Amino acid sequence: MRDPVELEASDALVLVDVQHDFLPGGALPVPLGNEVVPPLNGYIALFRSRGLPVFATRDWHPPDHCSFVGQGGPWPPHCVAGSAGARFADDLALPEDVTIISKDTGREQNTYSGFEDTDLGARLRRLGVRRLFIGGLATDYCVLNTVRDALRLGFGVFLLDDAVRAVDVDPGDGRRARKTMLELGALPLSLGALRA
Ligand code: VGL
Ligand code: ZN
């Protein structure tokens, strides 16, 4: 058993792409993607009770985004800006003062990272944030690349093990992505290990 983790004043929660199109029934469903919502709501409640900031990234693509099959990309069209599929999960209890970060908004932009060409890093620095608690969808794409950039930028990162799910285009992609993130310095965490 690892020691419980205590929330600190310089912590922030980052919810990655918990959007309709990545849930079962969506355009690019992540298997069991809906299962991230209850634990994420638990993390949100804890962060809110401490007055700590919550960020939610969203995939926010133009209709002719380069990652879509029609443009020669790997994915079915998904998370088109302003569409129903791009909305956050209905049962995700986003706080009123959540900061929403739209990403991969350019036709040729497909970095899978909440930091690339957004103001997420600048906003976090302005708030004096030092540690990020990151969960959401999908482990092997946007969570992986957001965690990687966060570590590169010098943030401490907790990977929310109970609140991520993988696309697993190739079986094991999610497991390998997790291994990569831990090797890069992310620490695994589950809600039960966070001191309330
Ligand atoms: C994602 C595939 C395509 C993600 C986004 O949010 O992980 N995956 N676009
Ligand atoms: Zn996308």
Side-chain angles (χ1 to χ4, degrees), residues 60-77:
W60 201 246
H61 298 319
D64 57 350
H65 191 248
C66 64
S67 77
F68 296 173
V69 281
Q71 273 57 242
W75 307 116

Side-chain angles (χ1 to χ4, degrees), residues 17-101:
D17 298 9
V18 188
Q19 294 168 274
H20 277 274
D21 274 342
F22 296 126
L23 302 176
L28 204 177
V30 176
L32 306 178
N34 53 306
E35 291 185 357
V36 304
V37 173
L40 287 179
N41 284 342
Y43 290 105
I44 291 169
L46 271 181
F47 275 71
R48 290 316 301 146
S49 73
R50 305 295 172 86
L52 297 172
V54 178
F55 291 79
T57 72
R58 62 183 181 188
D59 223 18
W60 201 246
H61 298 319
D64 57 350
H65 191 248
C66 64
S67 77
F68 296 173
V69 281
Q71 273 57 242
W75 307 116
H78 62 277
C79 297
V80 171
S83 69
R87 292 205 323 265
F88 291 111
D90 295 324
D91 45 355
L92 185 67
L94 287 176
E96 248 163 54
D97 61 349
V98 64
T99 302
I100 293 172
I101 304 288

Side-chain angles (χ1 to χ4, degrees), residues 40-178:
L40 287 179
N41 284 342
Y43 290 105
I44 291 169
L46 271 181
F47 275 71
R48 290 316 301 146
S49 73
R50 305 295 172 86
L52 297 172
V54 178
F55 291 79
T57 72
R58 62 183 181 188
D59 223 18
W60 201 246
H61 298 319
D64 57 350
H65 191 248
C66 64
S67 77
F68 296 173
V69 281
Q71 273 57 242
W75 307 116
H78 62 277
C79 297
V80 171
S83 69
R87 292 205 323 265
F88 291 111
D90 295 324
D91 45 355
L92 185 67
L94 287 176
E96 248 163 54
D97 61 349
V98 64
T99 302
I100 293 172
I101 304 288
S102 302
K103 63 177 183 56
D104 287 342
T105 58
R107 220 180 65 82
E108 299 299 338
Q109 185 192 359
N110 196 37
T111 64
Y112 301 111
S113 166
F115 287 95
E116 191 92 14
D117 289 322
T118 73
D119 61 358
L120 177 58
R123 283 174 174 275
L124 292 169
R125 270 190 296 271
R126 210 178 303 143
L127 290 172
V129 170
R130 300 169 55 152
R131 303 195 304 183
L132 299 177
F133 293 66
I134 302 180
L137 305 170
T139 315
D140 35 1
Y141 292 93
C142 287
V143 171
L144 171 63
N145 286 283
T146 300
V147 166
R148 185 183 272 148
D149 279 350
L151 291 165
R152 203 180 278 149
L153 289 168
F155 294 101
V157 173
F158 288 97
L159 173 66
L160 306 183
D161 256 341
D162 49 352
V164 293
R165 293 294 183 277
V167 182
D168 276 338
V169 169
D170 290 320
D173 279 354
R175 192 170 29 81
R176 284 185 288 275
R178 178 179 186 274

